[in-house]
Amino acid sequence: MFVTYLRRELAGRRKQTAIVAIGMALAIALVIIVNAVSSGVQLAQATVLGSVYGVGTDITVNLTPTAPAEGDAAGGPQKFDFGAADGTTADGTTSVSQARLSAGWGTFTFDQAALGTVSAVDNVSAAAATLSLNNTTFNGALPGSQTQGTPPAGGATPPDGGPDGAGGSSFNVDSFSVLGLDPADEAVGPLSAVTLTDGRSLTSTDAGANVTVLDSSYATTASLATGDTVSIAGTDFTVVGLVTAATADADTAANVYIPLDVAQTLSGLTGQISTVYVQAASSTDIAQVQADIEKALPAATVDTQADLASSVSGSLASASDLVKNLGLWLSLIVLAAAAFLIAILSTISGVTRRTREFGTLKAIGWSNGKIVRQVADESLVQGPLGGAAGIAIGLLGILVINLVAPTLTAGATSVAAAGPGAGFGAGGPGGAGPGFGGAAQAAATSDIVLSAPVTASVILLAVGLAVLGGLLAGVIGGWRASRLRPAEALRSIA
Amino acid sequence: MYELSNVTKTYEQGKRTVTALSDVTLSIPDGQMVAIQGPTGGGKSTLLQMLGALDRPTEGTIELGEANLSKLGDGKLGRIRAREISFVFQSFNLIPTLSAQDNVETALALLGVRSTLRKERAAAALASVGLGDRLGHLPTELSGRQRQRVAIARALVKEPTVLLADEPTGNLDEETRDEIMDLLEGLWQAQGLTLIVVTHDTAVARRARRRLLIKKGVLTEGA
Ligand SMILES: Nc1ncnc2c1ncn2[C@@H]1O[C@H](COP(=O)(O)OP(=O)(O)O)[C@@H](O)[C@H]1O
Ligand SMILES: [Mg+2]
């Protein structure tokens, strides 16, 4: 009987059911879309930060650039010294080739002990040290020095000089960035920001081994593949894998990744590192961890993701500002509340319109509880009905957003090491390094396609809201119905 | 058996107090047919509400058999209504979304009657008012006279001891009025219930052995 009444009531009063359901649907759809878009924006921001600074990194520690000290190990001008015995001579031409591995431009190294200091700070869950280096290879061919210096007796014609045939020489300078990292640290640091595309990543057993993982785009330009050999500072390394950085401009992206200890040995920077990546135990600990590290390492620059996030610019920044904007949230909450209100008010007006109906049922002997349950049940069905419609509308809205896929541009101004391949030309032999004394400002921009993710929690939230809305309307409507006097049934004109 | 002694009912309307019933003392034996007449606003419906356990008097006592209707709580009054008292209203008061059959069943829904028996009894009640072929019709698909017949079936299906009708023919034409009154009178005779009909129609009132007049809340026995 009661089920019949419920069914008939919902089917018989389609307009009322529709209004309540639509009100509910609007509120829920709104919540779903806003939730998805805001998490999409946050995701985009996290992607930018993750690609620029490494996933899972809460804090980075660098050395504060100060006035350069004499003999500073930092990446200064590159010098190539060739002794008389260097090179190989053939056909009267001396070919020289020398590779140097040294700290990248604008990179300041400091003692590895800092890693221990940082790790010892309270609430640091992980810390990893890296050494950012540049490998510069100088290949050249010079006219043979002996033949030039001492012409043979007998008036023989002087040799034709170098391969260019003009007695000159040919130089070829090649540079790529090398990042030394502790292969045991996977959770935090640069390698956590890349995806493995071929072979394997570096593992803890690779410490001390001459193995390398290459950035895949660098591997392509250098025609290298997994299994090949690459020469770093004159030492042969086996390529064990290829990785792709989320964005090519990322601060942490390097052309070549090698074990930290090998990097230190080859560059002569024994016991030196350039950055420590820190993960805090929880996001609430970040401020404390930052303060403690600053205290423990007064000379260091300690940046948090929040500092980093404030460096994100472009339309992504405006989008995330928008998401954070209280006014927007407030207006959406008001809108959702209004939709709920419509549902509740129309439930109440439905009850009022059915005054005579409920009065009659009471006169017939229906208890208050039965009538309240009738009204509440109707709302409880309308709620999920609206909820289902709301979820459908919400998902449709999200689908539209994802199909349109608005592109957000994101710029992250970072204190960056010289980009790949940029090193040599700028600070050639004898020239002053541009990044010395003041770190090079490299603006990394990337386009992030906004995608609004649909998570189970969003759907759950919507279902919860639908039930809540139905319950609320039901309780209020039922309360109204319970207060109707059975004598109302006798009012001849309702 | 109804026993009303010094029943007064007042309504607060803003600052004004309206006296709808004034010191009514009345006794109605079981099985009697009573007509209540009087001008509009005289207090007919208010008296019917008191008799029907829909509301409690401001002063005085109303007893129906053993039950003191003026003292009982809402729940108890509701149970008495469910079992013993039925109503027929001027505007039929059918549930618009329910079929004739379902409307009649609402009267049995609270009495713990099993669903198969409930359906049988509802169908039988509708057949007894001549609507055996209209079980599935919605109120909007029925004429005024058919609707009032459904309402009468709903009132009778639970076999009450009292049937209260407030202007049962007020919305019907003369021909239909007689038809409905014939039906009510026939059922009254057949079932031996107490039938109290509020009407301002003397033709309707004349059918009753006992006529009461109520004017400005004051009750007098009519001729
Ligand atoms: N719920 C109420 N609130 C206020 N006044 C009421 C209420 N019900 C009835 N009245 C008043 O009580 C008086 C009697 O009304 P009623 O019993 O409906 O008269 P009748 O049915 O004879 O037309 C009228 O003056 C009416 O306005
Ligand atoms: Mg009346």
Side-chain angles (χ1 to χ4, degrees), chain A residues 281-310:
Chain A
S282 108
S283 60
T284 52
D285 298 328
I286 291 174
Q288 167 257 315
V289 170
Q290 180 187 27
D292 286 3
I293 295 174
E294 277 170 346
K295 208 182 296 165
L297 299 168
T301 305
V302 184
D303 288 315
T304 65
Q305 282 277 18
D307 299 333
L308 306 178
S310 65

Side-chain angles (χ1 to χ4, degrees), chain B residues 132-207:
Chain B
D133 56 344
R134 295 286 189 276
L135 303 186
H137 284 56
L138 287 176
T140 47
E141 296 163 349
L142 298 169
S143 69
R145 101 174 50 167
Q146 286 173 326
R147 287 185 211 181
Q148 195 60 305
R149 281 169 176 268
V150 173
I152 291 169
R154 177 177 63 184
L156 293 170
V157 72
K158 70 186 182 194
E159 294 166 359
T161 56
V162 178
L163 176 57
L164 305 172
D166 193 358
E167 308 268 13
T169 58
N171 280 3
L172 302 171
D173 57 50
E174 264 182 42
E175 193 190 328
T176 315
R177 175 195 71 189
D178 293 339
E179 181 190 308
I180 291 295
M181 281 316 296
D182 286 346
L183 181 62
L184 281 176
E185 218 179 318
L187 289 164
W188 164 67
Q189 269 166 351
Q191 297 200 7
L193 43 75
T194 306
L195 175 61
I196 300 170
V197 181
V198 164
T199 184
H200 56 247
D201 187 334
T202 31
V204 170
R206 225 177 283 131
R207 290 169 176 257

Side-chain angles (χ1 to χ4, degrees), chain B residues 74-151:
Chain B
D74 288 346
K76 286 238 171 67
L77 290 182
R79 256 162 279 154
I80 288 171
R81 288 197 304 270
R83 261 182 278 115
E84 298 191 34
I85 305 170
S86 281
F87 297 89
V88 174
F89 307 97
Q90 177 175 353
S91 36
F92 325 132
N93 293 22
L94 297 178
I95 309 303
T97 51
L98 294 181
S99 68
Q101 162 90 26
D102 290 330
N103 260 289
V104 174
E105 282 189 44
T106 57
L108 297 175
L110 272 274
L111 294 177
V113 181
R114 281 205 352 268
S115 108
T116 43
L117 185 59
R118 202 173 62 212
K119 283 185 169 42
E120 279 173 32
R121 282 176 66 177
L126 281 165
S128 77
V129 298
L131 288 176
D133 56 344
R134 295 286 189 276
L135 303 186
H137 284 56
L138 287 176
T140 47
E141 296 163 349
L142 298 169
S143 69
R145 101 174 50 167
Q146 286 173 326
R147 287 185 211 181
Q148 195 60 305
R149 281 169 176 268
V150 173

